[in-house]
Amino acid sequence: MSEGTGHVATKGKGTTPRERYRAQVRAEIKERAWEQIAASGASGLSLNAIARQMGMSGPALYRYFASRDDLITELVRDAYRSLADTMRDAAASGADLAGLGHALRTWALDDPQRYFLVYGTPVPGYHAPDDITTIASGIMAALLDAARPAGAPADAAADGPDEARLEAHLAEHREWAADHPAAPPALRRALSFWTRLHGILSLELAGHFAGMGLDPAVLYDTELQQLTRRPAASTSRP
């Protein structure tokens, strides 16, 4: 039985031998699933193929995961929890918004298939359960906490009419921020951070920068600097 490559933990304290064995089998099933996803994408995931690889019958494997969607859900939960932990740990160590951006890129480059499972093309016919949204909201909460520029008032004016229009829209459409109390400027900064950096990461991990003769890290860093640039201090006329 393989111990896996680090996607999931297989050991716990206070468990019985039966529980430890079950956890080990589930961990190996998930590792085999990641191998399949790397080879043919999540849409090609097959529990029967995993069972054959592990020398099990299909019905035996279904005692550990009731369906393909059940297995995908567990992989998605693992991925989101991993990123949420990464962002929380970075924030706890004092990382600002730029630091969170670097943590995001490191996490994505460390395991592109994990990244694409949660931020790539949706798996046909798969619908994630509601608790996935709750886990993902922890990632956005870390960004919203860091999105207010140091020393800037919560109601700092937008940089221009376009930003002001977006902030007004977000003030009325903030469901994606859950119950976070962030003011509209922080909502705009966090959302811009999330969408623009994911755009670069998705292109980089999919290989779309190959042959262009540029360094994606430089592009990412420049975008991050623009996103985290502090707004100019407002001046009052006498």
Side-chain angles (χ1 to χ4, degrees):
M1 192 75 64
S2 68
E3 295 183 357
T5 59
H7 284 291
V8 292
T10 61
K11 296 182 179 180
K13 295 181 180 180
T15 58
T16 67
R18 181 186 295 274
E19 290 170 336
R20 288 195 296 273
Y21 176 76
R22 180 176 178 82
Q24 290 169 358
V25 174
R26 283 174 58 88
E28 182 167 356
I29 291 170
K30 287 194 282 187
E31 291 301 329
R32 299 283 186 174
W34 283 117
E35 292 171 1
Q36 281 194 7
I37 290 172
S40 56
S43 60
L45 192 61
S46 168
L47 266 66
N48 287 330
I50 293 174
R52 288 194 296 270
Q53 290 177 332
M54 295 178 62
M56 302 171 63
S57 67
L61 188 142
Y62 279 87
R63 291 201 297 267
Y64 297 93
F65 291 98
S67 66
R68 183 207 67 157
D69 285 3
D70 187 27
L71 176 55
I72 291 176
T73 293
E74 191 70 10
L75 299 178
V76 170
R77 284 194 183 109
D78 286 347
Y80 271 126
R81 285 169 179 156
S82 173
L83 181 54
D85 288 345
T86 295
M87 301 299 268
R88 279 194 294 265
D89 290 347
S93 68
D96 57 8
L97 197 57
L100 295 182
H102 290 300
L104 171 63
R105 185 169 186 268
T106 297
W107 180 88
L109 294 179
D110 183 61
D111 194 334
Q113 294 304 324
R114 178 179 57 184
Y115 175 89
F116 281 126
L117 182 64
V118 292
Y119 295 116
T121 303
V123 180
Y126 172 74
H127 300 284
D130 292 341
D131 72 294
I132 297 297
T133 300
T134 301
I135 299 171
S137 68
I139 301 168
M140 187 57 69
L143 297 181
L144 288 166
D145 287 342
R148 178 178 169 181
D155 58 351
D159 296 338
D162 293 335
E163 289 83 359
R165 183 165 59 252
L166 177 57
E167 287 180 13
H169 176 77
L170 294 177
E172 299 296 328
H173 301 84
R174 53 182 303 141
E175 295 85 354
W176 57 275
D179 58 354
H180 197 285
L187 295 176
R188 172 177 60 83
R189 284 167 58 82
L191 187 60
S192 296
F193 174 102
W194 199 235
T195 55
R196 288 164 62 176
L197 294 185
H198 272 301
I200 295 176
L201 282 173
S202 296
L203 290 170
E204 178 181 3
L205 295 177
H208 292 297
F209 293 135
M212 293 181 65
L214 59 84
D215 184 351
V218 174
L219 177 61
Y220 188 90
D221 286 346
T222 301
E223 191 75 3
L224 188 54
Q225 290 170 12
Q226 293 177 350
L227 286 165
T228 57
R229 182 180 299 145
R230 289 188 58 180
S234 60
T235 57
S236 58
R237 296 182 179 181

